[in-house]
Amino acid sequence: MARSLLTITWCKVNANRSDDSRRLSRPAAAGLALIMLAAGGFALWKYTSVLPWSARSAAPSAPAAAPAPAREDAPPSRIVRVSPANVRVIDHVRLSTEELLDPEFALFDPAAFKLSAPRRLLDEIERPVLYAELVNTSDKYVAVSPKAAITVFDGSRPLDLRQEWRLPTHLYPGERVPVALTGRVDRYTEVKTDWLPAKRAALPGPRPKLAISVENTEANVGTGTLNFTYRYRYKYVTVHGRVRNDSAAEVEGVKAWVSLYDAQDKLSGAAFQELRLPKLKPGESAPFQVNVKQYGGNFARVEIVYDVDGR
């Protein structure tokens, strides 16, 4: 009996202890709830983007994937990227790809051009004409397609003048080419020249080598009629010469600028003409003649500058 009572008592004690372990106090329950809430927040922060300070945005980014190796069969790129790019804008000049990519490329120095003071003369019907000379003073470079905007002033007023002919495509060192300006000009006080950008070429240059000689000259007097009533006279010079092709290629389209100089070595007349010549093979020659009106004193010598098409 005593043994049975002891067994019953031990069972009751264990039962009471079990019930006490199942029931927690309020502070313990609150602590457990806080622990569970913190664990849930950590899970949200760690594995989701719900919170603004999510680890998904704050975590260090993964290293960028290495670029895929270039395929061996792909053609090499022709694009050369330069940073910073050195952009050069050159108006009025057509540049080749080689010139654009050449770091040593340079334009012709406009300081090597020299324009003489214009000389005012009167033509056969008493209209004024200004004659000047353009000289390439460089000793080693050819001026390629030189162009100039020449403005003549009477005081502060620019005069309305025009150039009678174009300049040569190639002006070699030391060459002097005549420039004629026509229009209403009673007097002038100043001349300003704006040289447009021009390319340059090193000697011997691209122009075919021609030998142009003056064989003889004839001074003549011509007459004309203005408005069927006014008859006038003028002096002109016929220049007879010969062109010989000393280059290794055929030549055609020869142009000539002919200048007349008086005894004081001043321009007294000039003319531009495309010579009527057949196609000249290497070593061949052909004659030509040019009529040049003379508005100043009697000429003492003749000078010719030439150029060739397509060069």
Side-chain angles (χ1 to χ4, degrees):
M1 184 67 177
R3 184 178 180 179
S4 63
L5 288 173
L6 181 58
T7 303
I8 293 171
T9 302
W10 182 83
C11 290
K12 285 183 178 182
V13 170
N14 287 342
N16 291 336
R17 288 178 180 176
S18 162
D19 290 343
D20 291 342
S21 62
R22 289 193 188 99
R23 291 193 299 270
L24 297 175
S25 63
R26 287 184 177 179
L32 181 60
L34 289 175
I35 292 172
M36 294 179 64
L37 182 61
F42 177 78
L44 288 174
W45 175 77
K46 185 70 176 178
Y47 301 107
T48 68
S49 59
V50 173
L51 299 179
W53 54 84
S54 170
R56 185 171 296 178
S57 60
S61 58
R71 295 176 54 186
E72 295 182 357
D73 57 345
S77 175
R78 296 184 179 181
I79 300 176
V80 179
R81 292 179 172 86
V82 179
S83 181
N86 183 18
V87 180
R88 295 180 295 176
V89 179
I90 306 174
D91 295 331
H92 313 292
V93 179
R94 293 181 61 87
L95 301 179
S96 65
T97 304
E98 291 77 10
E99 290 167 337
L100 286 171
L101 298 179
D102 182 8
E104 302 298 328
F105 173 79
L107 295 172
F108 187 85
D109 184 7
F113 287 128
K114 179 181 178 182
L115 186 71
S116 66
R119 185 185 187 189
R120 182 180 179 276
L121 299 172
L122 297 177
D123 66 6
E124 61 270 23
I125 56 174
E126 302 300 317
R127 293 176 306 186
V129 56
L130 295 181
Y131 281 127
E133 281 187 301
L134 169 61
V135 184
N136 178 3
T137 63
S138 173
D139 57 354
K140 60 180 179 179
Y141 289 116
V142 180
V144 180
S145 298
K147 292 182 177 62
I150 303 174
T151 307
V152 182
F153 291 87
D154 180 6
S156 61
R157 179 175 63 91
L159 302 178
D160 185 14
L161 304 178
R162 65 182 181 88
Q163 296 187 38
E164 280 292 292
W165 48 73
R166 63 183 181 180
L167 298 175
T169 305
H170 300 92
L171 190 62
Y172 275 59
E175 288 187 339
R176 304 151 62 96
V177 63
V179 177
L181 302 173
T182 58
R184 184 176 179 81
V185 49
D186 296 325
R187 69 185 186 101
Y188 72 91
T189 57
E190 188 178 5
V191 178
K192 290 188 176 181
T193 306
D194 180 18
W195 297 106
L196 302 182
K199 293 192 290 186
R200 72 184 189 186
L203 294 174
R207 189 176 68 185
K209 185 178 180 181
L210 303 181
I212 298 184
S213 58
V214 177
E215 296 182 337
N216 62 76
T217 57
E218 297 178 6
N220 300 287
V221 176
T223 60
T225 304
L226 179 64
N227 296 331
F228 303 101
T229 57
Y230 176 70
R231 290 186 62 83
Y232 59 88
R233 294 162 58 90
Y234 62 92
K235 296 185 295 183
Y236 71 94
V237 176
T238 302
V239 178
H240 298 272
R242 179 169 290 272
V243 177
R244 187 181 71 247
N245 183 10
D246 288 345
S247 66
E250 292 184 344
V251 170
E252 62 180 342
V254 180
K255 301 175 177 62
W257 288 258
V258 184
S259 302
L260 302 179
Y261 296 88
D262 60 17
Q264 286 73 40
D265 205 32
K266 294 183 179 180
L267 272 173
S268 61
F272 163 74
Q273 183 173 313
E274 296 186 18
L275 303 181
R276 296 181 179 179
L277 298 175
K279 183 180 293 186
L280 298 177
K281 296 180 180 180
E284 291 185 343
S285 65
F288 71 90
Q289 75 174 41
V290 178
N291 293 330
V292 186
K293 291 182 179 179
Q294 183 176 257
Y295 300 138
N298 293 331
F299 79 99
R301 67 182 181 91
V302 179
E303 189 169 315
I304 299 176
V305 174
Y306 75 92
D307 204 358
V308 179
D309 275 341
R311 298 289 176 173

